[in-house]
Amino acid sequence: MMMEDWKETEFSLERKHVACTSCLSEYVKKLLCEVSITDQFFDAFTSYYTLEQNHMKMILPDLSDGGFTEAWFEDAVHKISPVLNHVHFVYSQVSFCDIDMWMEWTHYKKVFLECFKLLKDSENSCSVPLALLLLTAYLERALGNVLLLKRNQVPAMLKDLLATEELKNIFGHENILFLQILIGSPISLNLRNITWHGFVAPPEVSSRHGYILLAIVQSFGEKLEKSGLKPEHIPCRSWLTFQQTETWINCFPEITDSSIRIAEEVFRKTTILLPQMLPYWKEILSCFRNQKYGQCLVLLLPQIENCLRNIFVAANDCPERIVTAEATMLYTTFDEIFSEFVHGKINKTRNILGDTYIELFLDLLVYPEGPRVRDRLSHGEVLLEDIPHHLVNHILNISVAICCKFVCPSTGILQEIYVKDVITAASNYKPKFHPLSILKGKFFQAINKVMKWKNCPIPDLNDPPNSGETTDKSLDVTQYVQVICNLYSVDDDIKKDLVHCGFQTLSNILKKLQPETLYRPRYEGEITTLLRQIVSHIIIAADQVSDGLQICYYQWCKKKMRSRQRLTYSRFLCSVPVLTRSLQVVFITILVNFMYINKLSSLEKKTQHHVTRLLKSILKYTENLEIMTNATKNRWEECCYLSKELLESISCFSQKQFL
């Protein structure tokens, strides 16, 4: 970044944030820091430190007049505040063994013990927000498990989960209503959203808010026990894991102790982090240093969102969007930060971050087949102890790279080798989980699997059957490749390479291709889906052919084949060259589509229809191929017939120019 460019960026960011001492809106801040604060106490406990439902019913305001409104929630928060005070007074003086009698129903008692310890840690300002992050996530997970006793599916949103009649019937309407006041609505205290979306600074939440959630967990456990529902009766959905990310996360340097010191200096000197949020970043680095990777990531993700929201606000000149929204507006969350347009106008965040940095976050957070780290963590779907070092190392490095964009070059920190390595890695990143990226990887896999056919052992048969017009010699692949190239108006130089290229050349060409993946039109997505389906069927068919060749050769060598099996084996061997040639044409078709994917949406609707029809015919062929090559079918003559039929259908397109 040039010095003059940095000055303009720095100025605009500082100007937008100079008056932002809190990211809470006036209404939310009033509920959290004023209405919920009182010097009164109300003992709503049973003798087991659980909440008495009748006491709850006494203090909660009536819902009959108009339902949930801001005025109702304000009144409700005011009335439950004495309960929060009493719970805080009691829980801050007892040990966890005094209150853990009914925690097993959550299937993750360990994390609630950790939250209890955090709430008692008065020396660390980030302990209470961290406890709230964990409590809201894993309480949601536990409630979803209970709902599965009555339903087959759990709502994706916490507010919808709490609104289910089934949970109200299981735990009692007053208990669920109490929870809704705390975490269940955009106009409630909304502890879940304001923490997980990075709006809360450390001093803005109290251990009172954490202790009351622990009391609710304990109370719900007691309620289940009295209803005859033991922990072993409650379903426990499988925990998700991020271990598979190790296969693609390897581009950033390992963060060492010296790297942590440099990162801390970057966080202090960047202009994109709000001063009141800096304690989080210090604690994030401390957790990483102490190998508390789960806690590190839980704190890190909301702060990344806060950081990106600051950039979004500055880029689009909308300072009001930096704070929490009311019920009538949307939160400025990842979805909007990374969207192409904002209220019909181009989102200028792209101009500041650049495509590569946006792709980094889309891979991590948004793409359906990516790890979707924030979603899974915020909904309690991952065990903290299972969060791997390499993933946190990756995300923390991304945070450093983003912050470096807003550090003045004159500070000298950008000259550090670690910083240079991080910036280089981020700038060269290629998306892994965009559908086109996944297609490319699967395409490589399909090519390699078909190439392995030639390495399978084949006996010298004396009586190969006559396969008629579907023999290898009858397939002039060149003419079909020329048809495909003409259909897509492939450049002459590329056409020369494709017409005579083998599988290895196809693979080499594919390796060099990197189509644009950010903000692509919907039609490209439809084509990509078709191509991925085609490739998936080929992969399965290719494996079936390879397995069949290996098994049949073994049986032939051991003389374990009956005469009919030998005849089938002969037909099998005669069909392999035919399939190979046919798939060569299919691969070239896929490759050409991949090369021109960014142009397909500009075609006329009629031409798009022809492209789609061609690919659907290929898809049908590969679907049939998967079925026919299965070991239970062995319909090799049909495979040859289908291959010939496909090539003839491709020839029918020879007079149409698509591009």
Side-chain angles (χ1 to χ4, degrees), residues 19-35 70 74 186-189 194 199 204 320 322-326 329:
C20 184
T21 57
S22 174
C23 292
L24 300 177
S25 69
E26 289 302 318
Y27 170 76
V28 175
K29 192 169 186 179
K30 181 181 179 182
L31 283 185
L32 194 62
C33 305
E34 296 178 24
V35 177
E70 287 188 3
E74 189 171 333
I187 53 176
S188 68
L189 274 173
I194 62 176
F199 290 110
E204 292 176 320
E320 72 282 357
I322 204 168
V323 298
T324 47
E326 312 305 325
M329 298 189 299

Side-chain angles (χ1 to χ4, degrees), residues 484-549:
I484 295 297
C485 290
N486 290 335
L487 294 178
Y488 289 85
S489 296
V490 174
D491 295 339
D492 289 341
D493 292 340
I494 299 176
K495 185 189 299 185
K496 291 177 183 177
D497 294 333
L498 293 178
V499 167
H500 300 291
C501 77
F503 291 107
Q504 188 58 58
T505 305
L506 281 170
S507 183
N508 294 339
I509 295 173
L510 177 62
K511 188 175 182 179
K512 298 175 183 177
L513 295 177
Q514 190 63 45
E516 296 177 25
T517 55
L518 197 60
Y519 306 138
R520 304 311 309 164
R522 177 172 295 185
Y523 176 70
E524 289 181 14
E526 295 172 3
I527 296 298
T528 303
T529 299
L530 279 171
L531 295 175
R532 288 183 60 184
Q533 290 172 337
I534 290 169
V535 169
S536 295
H537 290 302
I538 293 174
I539 288 172
I540 296 173
D543 280 337
Q544 290 175 169
V545 170
S546 293
D547 292 344
L549 288 172

Side-chain angles (χ1 to χ4, degrees), residues 194-249:
I194 62 176
T195 50
W196 273 104
H197 290 299
F199 290 110
V200 173
E204 292 176 320
V205 284
S206 161
S207 55
R208 299 159 68 250
H209 302 114
Y211 282 132
I212 191 63
L213 290 176
L214 277 175
I216 289 173
V217 173
Q218 173 82 339
S219 303
F220 282 5
E222 181 189 35
K223 186 75 173 176
L224 290 169
E225 181 80 12
K226 289 182 176 179
S227 301
L229 288 172
K230 297 184 181 298
E232 57 267 27
H233 298 154
I234 299 171
C236 182
R237 288 168 288 173
S238 299
W239 298 99
L240 299 177
T241 177
F242 294 129
Q243 296 299 331
Q244 74 279 7
T245 56
E246 193 166 10
T247 60
W248 63 272
I249 291 182

Side-chain angles (χ1 to χ4, degrees), residues 315-351:
N316 296 288
D317 194 20
C318 51
E320 72 282 357
R321 301 301 297 277
I322 204 168
V323 298
T324 47
E326 312 305 325
T328 55
M329 298 189 299
L330 293 173
Y331 286 105
T332 306
T333 57
F334 284 133
D335 287 342
E336 188 168 16
I337 290 169
F338 297 133
S339 64
E340 185 175 6
F341 299 99
V342 180
H343 300 308
K345 297 180 180 179
I346 293 177
N347 183 356
K348 296 180 182 178
T349 305
R350 186 178 187 180
N351 298 340

Side-chain angles (χ1 to χ4, degrees), residues 1-15:
M1 183 181 293
M2 300 294 291
M3 189 68 168
E4 54 271 20
D5 295 334
W6 180 86
K7 284 180 179 177
E8 174 58 31
T9 303
E10 179 198 34
F11 171 76
S12 63
L13 291 172
E14 289 186 333
R15 176 165 53 85

